[in-house]
Amino acid sequence: MARRTSSLAKHGSRSESRRFPSGALAALLLLAAVRLSGRPVVAEFTDGAADGRSFQALRLTVDLGGRERPVQLKVSLPPGARLAPELTEFAGGGRVHVQILNVYVPGSAAAGPFTVRGSVIDGTRRWPFEATIRVRANPKVRVIDEETGLATVRAEETVHRTWRATNGGNTVLELRAAATPTNGTVLTVVPAQLRLAPGESAEITLSARLVNSPDRLVTLPLFLNVESGRGPLQRRETVGFTAEFVPRVAGPGPLFAEFTGEALVGGVSAPDHRGMAGRIHLEGEVAAGVKFLAYGADGTAAPGGSHLGLASRDFLTVELGGKTWHATGGLVAPPSFGFLESSTQGHGGTAAWSDDSGLVVTALGAQEHYGDFRREHAGLHAAQTDPDKTGWEAGLLAQRNQAGGSPTQERIGAFGQTRWQWRGVAGASQVAAAQATANHAVKIGLEQRLDYRTDDERSHAALFVQIAPEGFFLDGRSAELRDFTLGRAVGETGNLHFHASDARDVGSLRTYRQSETEAGLTPTAPEFVELITRTGTAVRSWSAGYGFARDDSRAMLTVATTDRTRETGLVKSPDDTFHEHSLAADWSRNLYAGRLFFTATAAGGTEENPQQHADFTETSFTAGGSLTDRVQISGEFRKTWHVGGNRSAGYRQPGTYGRGSVIWTPRPRWRFESGVDAYRFGTSTTRVRSYAMAEAPLSTRTALATEVSHDDERTSVWLALRVNFTVRMPWRPVRGALAGRVVERAGGGPVPGARFNLAGRAGLTDEAGRFVLPGSRPGKYPLTWSLPPAYLAAADWPRTVDVVAGRLQTIEFTAERIALLRGTITITRGLEAVRPTGTVSATNEADAVYEAVAGAGEFTLLLPPGRYTVRYTGEVTAAIAIQLVATVEIGNAGEAVTVNLTAIDRARGVRRTFFSDEPESGAPRVLP
């Protein structure tokens, strides 16, 4: 029994250690070694990654063995972290204990490992533990403009604006800063690249100057783009300001009506053609608030066209516009009438009226006439656009078409469309009604667009459905389209996409003869035009793919299928049915901070019809952008192979196509361009066309240009003269202007650098203190100004100016030179010095009062010359206020003055104490 009793002794008791056999003792030691190797205290976060400003669960597993007993917990947290709730003691031993600790990860935690260390204390024994969670990168860039308002300089000077960029995230950021290009300016950003640790800030300065000094005010919006990081760290901030460049030579601009324009006249010579062509652009203000614009061309059917802009089409368009109306005549581009048959350009006119709410009402009348084809339009269109891009459109359109000997077709149609947003869904709904040409029955067509995006834009879906029944369009055209797109972000850089489309189109009317005439080609025979305009097609396609973006690179892999059926009304042929299955890979990259781009595509698949098939592969490369500020390039190369089957089975013909061009502008108004365009497809002969052109100024208003082009059949040479001109009409006043001079009071010198603004037209005083504001339309306008820091405007400066047409008014302004008064306020109470916050006033001998607010005992005032009494008027006692007064003299030289207002508070309350207020050496003195 004794042996049995000893076997039931408690673990760790003396009786157990005395009566255990040696074999049991060895087993016990082995068990203890296993337990120690198993780490009695284990800490781990339940998640692998965390965001800043979040609580994360830390699981603490304690397996100490022995009896259950209280143990101490000591935790060391990174800066800003905390436990919720605080936990210093819990139970351990007896069994495995699991404790969940809520650890707060602060927003200031740096991206990367976030480590919590600690130990479990059991008497004199310690078991250390450590747990790490990864803090996700949270890039944040804040670009703060420390200056506000316009930046105004003289036209030949450089304007500077400085921003402070701050890394408000938790990871180191590599920042790239660049200015948005603006024509006619030279922009520099310093520094263009910088590195910021979390919490660090740095200044970025954008500088801008004009390439050519203007003769009138130039106002430009300038923008700075700051891009941070790469890949998932990529963020972009854009800030901007408005710069005003004021001419050095002051001038009112045109007070009378004038036209400015450009004319380009040239001729071409080729073995089979000689001709002259011209282009003109003319604009100006013909009456107060009425703008005139005219542009047109007298072309020639030159072989190969013209890169100089001398088109082969003859046209002229004239526009007149006021504040709420606009009218055009000649070759006009009408507004869109929904998905009614498009109204293409034609000869006629439009008249539009608008208001400040975004409502525009337009009336249209136009016709086209090319050979035996004629089309006429008349319509009324209205649209309302809201600031959030929602709104509506409605229109009524009447058309008449006649082609060759076909009967004349007439139709009246109307449409209405609304654009709306609801809970992340953007949509456009359209309904249209049209009169059929045969029996005049009314047909209804519908269109619906839906676009949904999540708040973080990681998922999106789009649906488009259009149904236009037969007879809805002229020529019996009908159209049906169903289109669906779905996208979903995968991870931080990936994206899955899916697209499906089902389209049916019968009897589409195309103006082939118009486009052929514009290109200088021989128009196609009318009977063939009639055939191809009645061609119907049905196309079904779907594609799916995966893409990703990393740094400046993009890549995508797509699989697609297309089924196409054609209906010509003739005997069916194998080519009327077509199937294509393809796999394509695309890759693109931006280089040199986005100045250059490069795209590569590789595709392979099968084309087939009911009798034949062809296996193809295709590759293409595209590049373009700016090598420097003066050199732009573009190029494309495409190669298609048939690797099996019959090459006539599909639409992709084996062959090669390539083009490229280079534009060099070594200085303003100089331009050199050259390029090549070559192709060979199937059994056709190789065609190579190259050209080179140059343009250089002859004077400030004229430039000479030439172009030489060559292909396999001919060489043609263009020679052209570009002329800029101005036509003034001094008998028709349309504007008035204001001139002035700013001088110091009492016969002082001129005040340079003063900025005046009248109706948004600004001017700066020169070294003589003179300025002339550009001309404004007649009327009464507010006049605003800002003076250099050393001056103050007199009280009699006008706040409004009445501008009279054809008159240059002159006003002399008197300014007072001011000086900076710096001051301090100190109130002494025993050994304590107080710096109060409150109002400070300065009163001169004419009882004019200037005030400022002192903060922490310091203040500044800008004061004109004179003798001033300066006093603190904050919340203090009368005994203190009478001491905080001083007299200062502001001289005419504008030199800064300093004043110190001091006071001593001697008031004491009655104290019940045995000690004096001021300590003495030795023992305290006892009062009797």
Side-chain angles (χ1 to χ4, degrees), residues 861-875:
L861 277 168
L862 288 173
L863 301 175
R867 186 180 181 85
Y868 293 87
T869 300
V870 182
R871 56 171 50 90
Y872 177 74
T873 59
E875 295 183 0

Side-chain angles (χ1 to χ4, degrees), residues 440-459:
H440 301 291
V442 176
K443 302 288 185 177
I444 303 295
L446 302 173
E447 181 182 274
Q448 180 64 59
R449 299 174 185 265
L450 297 174
D451 192 345
Y452 170 75
R453 294 179 182 273
T454 57
D455 293 338
D456 58 4
E457 295 192 353
R458 292 180 59 84
S459 299

Side-chain angles (χ1 to χ4, degrees), residues 239-280:
V239 291
F241 70 104
T242 300
E244 287 187 336
F245 298 90
V246 182
R248 166 68 67 173
V249 179
L255 299 183
F256 301 88
E258 71 172 19
F259 290 130
T260 60
E262 179 184 86
L264 180 65
V265 181
V268 62
S269 176
D272 55 351
H273 179 80
R274 285 178 175 80
M276 296 293 294
R279 179 179 291 271
I280 189 170

Side-chain angles (χ1 to χ4, degrees), residues 119 144 150 159 202 217 311 324 327 366 375 421 432-433 452 457 500 570 603 627 654 672-673 696 780 851 883:
S119 58
I144 302 173
L150 299 171
V159 64
L217 175 70
T324 61
R375 172 185 294 184
Q421 295 181 2
Y452 170 75
E457 295 192 353
L570 304 176
L627 289 177
F672 299 91
E673 181 178 351
K780 183 170 288 188
E851 291 185 340
Q883 302 178 61

Side-chain angles (χ1 to χ4, degrees), residues 539-542 560-564 578-582 606:
V539 181
R540 291 183 177 179
S541 65
W542 66 265
T561 295
T562 300
D563 296 327
R564 184 189 304 270
F578 164 74
H579 306 279
E580 179 182 285
H581 311 280
S582 65
T606 299

